[in-house]
Amino acid sequence: MNTVPEPRTAAALAARRSRTDMALLRVRESIVRLQREKAQVSVAAVARRANVSRTFLYANPEARAAIATAIAEAGDRKTRTLVEQDDEREATWRERALNAEDALKATQAEVLAQRTRIDELLGHIRDLQAEWTEEAIQRITTENTTLKQRVRQLTADNRTLDERLKAARSNLRFQDRRVADLEAQITSP
């Protein structure tokens, strides 16, 4: 038995090895380009870019491992990006909910202050009604009407802010569930 291949066979084997090495180099370069372009890494995309057949990519262990690694890295990057975006959205909704709560408290305090002021003015009207002229009564009545309109406006604003607060809380609960789902997806094997 002759273990040394004939020169023609050795040359053919060397040429085949060289073509395989060049194809592997093109595969690696294609993967790097796809990652740099933030394009999806897949067997079909790499085969097109590297000008190799899909059969080569599936049959060659090095090529198959390089593609599997690139796909796994892309999945990890995508998951990290989604988690970061969800964290940003959650922070925004929390901030909006806190702002809505602050505005609601301020509006409620303003409504209470306006009602107190109306009560004081009504008390003054009753106390001094006998001493006032028709003009003074008309002025106080106008002021009272204006204050009542202001109270109605503030009450409407209060209702609006209360609805916004409820909506913000609902959105926050949705975002919390979404974050929990994403965390579950990340931690599941």
Side-chain angles (χ1 to χ4, degrees):
M1 281 206 166
N2 188 3
T3 58
V4 176
E6 289 185 29
R8 285 178 47 196
T9 306
L13 289 174
R16 182 176 181 194
R17 217 173 296 118
S18 174
R19 280 193 310 271
T20 301
D21 290 343
M22 291 301 293
L24 284 173
L25 179 63
R26 288 193 315 268
V27 165
R28 288 188 198 100
E29 289 172 350
S30 297
I31 290 172
V32 168
R33 265 187 308 199
L34 286 168
Q35 288 173 333
R36 194 176 317 124
E37 295 169 2
K38 295 187 185 235
Q40 183 178 4
V41 177
S42 66
V43 174
V46 172
R48 261 191 317 274
R49 292 275 180 108
N51 197 23
V52 296
S53 68
R54 291 183 190 184
T55 306
F56 172 80
L57 296 177
Y58 287 118
N60 188 294
E62 287 181 52
R64 192 172 54 236
I67 291 173
T69 302
I71 290 172
E73 288 174 359
D76 290 345
R77 274 194 305 278
K78 186 175 182 179
T79 302
R80 281 193 303 272
T81 302
L82 287 174
V83 168
E84 289 170 1
Q85 289 173 350
D86 284 343
D87 288 346
E88 290 172 10
R89 279 192 219 114
E90 180 183 342
T92 301
W93 282 110
R94 278 199 178 118
E95 185 177 327
R96 287 181 184 172
L98 291 173
N99 289 343
E101 283 179 4
D102 290 343
L104 181 64
K105 287 177 186 175
T107 302
Q108 287 173 338
E110 179 69 20
V111 167
L112 183 61
Q114 292 294 329
R115 284 183 179 163
T116 304
R117 178 75 176 134
I118 289 171
D119 289 342
E120 289 173 4
L121 291 174
L122 287 174
H124 287 301
I125 289 173
R126 281 185 216 105
D127 290 344
L128 303 173
Q129 195 167 17
E131 301 173 16
W132 290 16
T133 64
E134 195 61 41
E135 278 181 20
I137 292 172
Q138 184 62 35
R139 183 180 50 81
I140 294 296
T141 304
T142 305
E143 189 174 300
N144 188 29
T145 304
T146 304
L147 288 173
K148 284 181 180 179
Q149 288 173 349
R150 180 75 176 136
V151 166
R152 279 193 294 276
Q153 178 63 39
L154 289 172
T155 303
D157 290 348
N158 189 16
R159 256 187 254 115
T160 302
L161 288 172
D162 195 31
E163 290 169 2
R164 285 183 184 171
L165 177 61
K166 287 178 185 176
R169 285 179 177 159
S170 174
N171 287 335
L172 184 58
R173 283 191 297 274
F174 172 77
Q175 291 298 327
D176 285 342
R177 282 193 299 268
R178 177 76 174 124
V179 168
D181 289 346
L182 287 173
E183 288 174 349
Q185 287 176 2
I186 291 170
T187 57
S188 65

